[in-house]
Amino acid sequence: MLAVVRLMLAAVFIVFTTLFAFLYCVFSPRNPKHVYFFCRWFNLLHKIVGLKLIQRGLHHAPTPNNSVYISNHQSVFDFVTDPGMLRPRTVSLGKRDLLIVPFFGLLYWITGNILINREDKSKARDTIKQVAEAIHQRDLSVWVYPEGTRSNGRGLLPFKTGAFRMAIEAGVPITPMCTSTTHNKIGLNRLDNGVVITEMLEPIDVSQYSLNDARALADHCHQLMAAKIAQLDQEVAQIERKSGLEHKPNAT
């Protein structure tokens, strides 16, 4: 019953937010400032889900300078845990398929996020170059999930090089953001779903890398993030043990 209530609340929240966003953005559609504004709203969803969200490391964000932010991509619950970490004038890259998602697709587009066709390799390469140029022309930062797909409990998947090529071409730092593991953690029928930690790491200077080094840069970031996620998972386990909030795995 609690799961039904939560899903209904989340649905009402998204519909209301989309309708408001349409009215709010209609006179300046796709302005990157809108993404940050509405991410403040989405940052409240963790309360509906029953999570205690610990957010830290935001002082590492190179604001007001531009950056390519990268984060681990676990599940649909990323939209619950990650929005509070997004910085001003930052837009995300998402699959064009998001457009067909009722209400959310419109919200994602009109607020200024960038939709790409990942199936067409040639167009994807052009998009990387165009986004790298837009970072400076439109004073943007970009948020990318470099795994390219949700991990769904498979750990941190290998990184694709697009985000790293983008940062190298634009000459802006890579800033990793890590979220502790949420797979099998969140039960919508459970009142308290414990703790999730999100942490921004220090920016990584890419000035010494060429486009040919994109794979090496991706692998370096993967190692840093995998180690940090393991550390965050241990910290979450300790916090929940002390609080008596250890949960049995639950997929829903």
Side-chain angles (χ1 to χ4, degrees), residues 222-233:
H222 189 281
Q223 292 173 1
L224 289 176
M225 291 178 64
K228 173 55 69 172
I229 292 167
Q231 177 186 326
L232 294 180
D233 287 346

Side-chain angles (χ1 to χ4, degrees), residues 39-128:
C39 275
R40 302 303 93 199
W41 290 30
F42 271 78
N43 192 43
L44 300 174
L45 282 175
H46 70 276
K47 297 181 178 180
I48 294 177
V49 175
L51 282 175
K52 178 182 179 182
L53 192 56
I54 299 174
Q55 300 170 325
R56 64 194 187 198
L58 289 177
H59 61 282
H60 290 314
T63 303
N65 297 321
N66 307 117
S67 181
V68 172
Y69 294 91
I70 57 173
S71 180
N72 51 319
H73 194 15
Q74 301 184 69
S75 70
V76 68
F77 288 113
D78 292 344
F79 292 108
V80 175
T81 60
D82 294 0
M85 302 300 285
L86 188 133
R87 300 293 81 208
R89 296 197 66 81
T90 300
V91 300
S92 67
L93 294 188
K95 295 179 181 179
R96 189 172 295 175
D97 296 348
L98 285 173
L99 275 176
I100 66 174
V101 178
F103 292 98
F104 181 79
L106 173 61
L107 175 65
Y108 191 85
W109 177 82
I110 201 170
T111 51
N113 293 294
I114 299 172
L115 292 159
I116 62 174
N117 182 2
R118 287 180 175 159
E119 304 303 320
D120 190 324
K121 300 294 184 182
S122 61
K123 288 186 178 179
R125 285 191 290 270
D126 289 341
T127 299
I128 289 172

